[in-house]
């Protein structure tokens, strides 16, 4: 009987540039993320009711800044990147820290037509000087990696710690740097654990998952609590590990549920492991051949090499099912794929 292949997760280098879209924070609106991270992408001016920004002798209210940002987002959605950049420049002139940050991101990547890293750094530094934590965090990574600016580990370390005073994400990333999980290794595991504890206490499941790894090395009881927290928040690797633990204790039903939840986050390895365990009877299934084939198929479509090999090995399953129930596999693949909701760390 084939046994499932053990799997060890190694997180890749962090991506420190933000997604292509961004959130407009309305005046006085307090928005919380799925894991209760404090808002980090709002302008301080837009959070203060009645505050004004003076530009060219004219008073500009936070509503004017929010409108410029909203119009920039609409222009981006319509594909008018030139108008988007113009509106972001306007918002930055009005005093929007978020606009400075967004301009820096577009100028760094060149996705809006102009690639100008030097100007990007100027916008990041302005936002950092005015207390915008995300800009500080990005600057930290640039110094730590020696990208655009000269490599300066001390400066990068200082900026990351500064960002961590206001940003849960920066707390997590500082923890991973000091714990030698992210490069460049800052080599202070105690400080790393402390930062991860802070991020976990703020509700960050990614920090909880990595804290579990650190605490489990010394068999600390709180390690299990951190893993449970991450899994309950839907962290795919935490779900994966808990599934393995439950399977080891003989609870196949719970293990199967946890592994399937991990697979439904879009994790190809979890898909492969779920299919394998269904196939060999470790996880209960009403139609094991069909369900295993479906998950191998989806994992293979996402580039999982072993899933591709397994599909070739069980090609006969498709032949039989296509004969007995024409179209059932393709429909099941489509239906299952529609249920997959990728989990994103914040």
């Amino acid at each position: 009987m084939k046994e499932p292949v053990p799997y060890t997760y190694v997180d890749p280098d962090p991506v420190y540039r933000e997604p292509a879209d961004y959130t407009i924070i309305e005046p006085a609106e307090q928005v919380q993320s799925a894991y209760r991270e404090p808002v980090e992408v709002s302008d301080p001016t837009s959070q203060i009711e009645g505050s004004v920004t003076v530009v060219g002798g004219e008073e500009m209210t936070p509503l004017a800044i929010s409108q410029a940002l909203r119009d920039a987002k609409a222009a981006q959605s319509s594909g008018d990147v030139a108008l988007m950049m113009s509106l972001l420049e306007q918002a930055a002139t009005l005093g929007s820290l978020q606009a400075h940050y967004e301009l820096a991101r577009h100028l760094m990547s060149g996705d809006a037509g102009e690639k100008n890293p030097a100007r990007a750094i100027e916008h990041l530094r302005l936002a950092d000087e005015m207390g915008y934590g995300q800009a500080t965090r990005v600057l930290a990574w640039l110094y730590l990696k020696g990208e655009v600016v000269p490599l300066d580990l001390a400066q990068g370390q200082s900026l990351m710690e500064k960002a961590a005073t206001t940003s849960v994400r920066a707390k997590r990333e500082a923890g991973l740097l000091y714990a030698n999980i992210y490069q460049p290794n800052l080599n202070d595991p105690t400080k790393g654990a402390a930062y991860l504890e802070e991020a976990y206490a703020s509700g960050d499941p990614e920090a909880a998952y990595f804290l579990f790894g650190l605490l489990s090395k010394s068999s600390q009881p709180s390690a299990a609590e951190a893993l449970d927290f991450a899994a309950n928040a839907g962290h795919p690797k935490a779900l994966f590990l808990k599934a393995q633990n439950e399977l080891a204790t003989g609870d196949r039903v719970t293990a199967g549920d946890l592994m399937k939840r991990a697979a439904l986050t879009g994790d190809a390895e979890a898909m492969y492991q779920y299919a394998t365990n269904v196939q060999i009877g470790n996880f209960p299934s009403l139609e094991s051949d069909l369900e295993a084939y479906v998950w191998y198929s989806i994992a293979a479509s996402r580039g999982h090499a072993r899933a591709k090999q397994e599909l070739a090995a069980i090609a006969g399953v498709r032949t039989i099912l296509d004969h007995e129930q024409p179209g059932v596999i393709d429909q099941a693949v489509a239906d299952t794929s529609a249920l997959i909701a990728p989990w994103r760390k914040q």
Side-chain angles (χ1 to χ4, degrees):
M1 180 177 290
K2 182 175 64 174
E3 295 296 329
V5 179
Y7 174 61
T8 302
Y9 173 63
V10 179
D11 198 62
D13 251 9
V15 177
Y16 55 86
R17 295 183 180 87
E18 297 301 305
D21 59 348
Y22 53 93
T23 302
I24 305 302
I25 306 301
E26 300 294 342
E29 180 181 7
Q30 184 66 33
V31 181
Q32 297 293 335
S33 74
Y35 59 82
R36 306 186 305 283
E37 179 168 359
V39 175
E40 299 174 5
V41 291
S42 59
D43 281 308
T45 53
S46 70
Q47 298 296 318
I48 304 173
E49 186 175 356
S51 66
V52 297
T53 301
V54 179
V55 179
E58 296 184 8
E59 290 187 348
M60 306 302 297
T61 68
L63 286 174
I65 294 174
S66 293
Q67 186 61 54
L69 288 171
R70 191 180 301 107
D71 291 345
K73 185 178 179 73
Q76 181 187 36
S77 298
S78 68
D80 192 342
V81 293
L83 177 59
M84 176 195 71
M85 292 295 282
S86 175
L87 289 165
L88 286 175
E89 290 280 5
Q90 176 186 337
T93 301
L94 297 179
S96 168
L97 306 188
Q98 182 179 351
H100 280 296
Y101 178 77
E102 295 298 332
L103 284 167
R105 184 167 55 78
H106 290 300
L107 290 167
M108 193 73 75
S109 68
D111 62 1
E114 177 187 1
K115 187 169 186 176
N116 192 328
R119 282 191 62 210
I121 293 297
E122 290 176 7
H123 283 291
L124 284 175
R125 284 182 171 144
L126 282 170
D128 164 53
E129 289 168 3
M130 291 185 281
Y132 196 74
Q134 289 286 34
T136 306
R137 184 183 61 80
V138 172
L139 271 177
W141 277 116
L142 293 176
Y143 279 107
L144 289 168
K145 289 174 169 285
E147 295 183 2
V148 184
V149 296
L151 179 68
D152 189 333
L153 295 183
Q155 177 71 350
Q157 178 178 337
S158 175
L159 286 168
M160 188 62 77
E161 292 192 354
K162 176 184 175 183
T165 62
T166 59
S167 164
V168 174
R169 178 173 176 176
K171 291 181 195 297
R172 179 217 309 152
E173 293 179 355
L176 296 174
L177 283 162
Y178 280 116
N180 297 337
I181 296 170
Y182 277 173
Q183 298 287 334
N185 298 342
L186 297 184
N187 200 31
D188 190 336
T190 300
K191 183 179 284 190
Y195 271 118
L196 289 174
E197 284 273 13
E198 289 184 25
Y200 166 35
S202 297
D204 187 323
E206 183 83 354
Y209 170 74
F210 282 106
L211 183 63
F212 157 76
L214 294 180
L215 297 177
S216 61
K217 292 178 181 178
S218 54
S219 301
Q220 295 189 38
S222 54
E225 295 177 6
L227 182 63
D228 286 343
F229 177 87
N232 289 337
H235 191 287
K237 303 308 176 186
L239 289 167
F240 189 105
L241 289 177
K242 280 189 65 66
Q244 290 184 320
N245 292 342
E246 294 294 341
L247 187 58
T249 66
D251 188 344
R252 299 184 177 191
V253 173
T254 301
D257 177 65
L258 289 166
M259 192 66 80
K260 189 172 186 177
R261 285 177 59 195
L264 287 169
T265 68
D267 187 301
E269 179 64 25
M271 295 175 187
Y272 172 80
Q273 293 286 347
Y274 181 74
T276 298
N277 280 282
V278 165
Q279 185 183 23
I280 65 179
N282 278 342
F283 296 160
S285 174
L286 295 177
E287 298 182 85
S288 58
D289 286 345
L290 174 60
E291 189 169 19
Y293 192 96
V294 165
W295 280 109
Y296 281 136
S297 180
I298 297 173
S301 72
R302 294 171 179 244
H304 195 285
R306 285 176 292 164
K308 291 180 181 179
Q309 294 171 359
E310 196 60 38
L311 275 180
I314 61 172
V317 170
R318 171 142 207 156
T319 301
I320 294 171
L321 288 174
D322 281 346
H323 176 72
E324 295 178 347
Q325 305 176 64
V328 68
I329 290 179
D330 292 339
Q331 187 61 53
V333 168
D335 291 345
T336 303
S337 297
L339 297 174
I340 295 172
W343 187 87
R344 284 185 59 192
K345 63 183 179 182
Q346 303 295 315

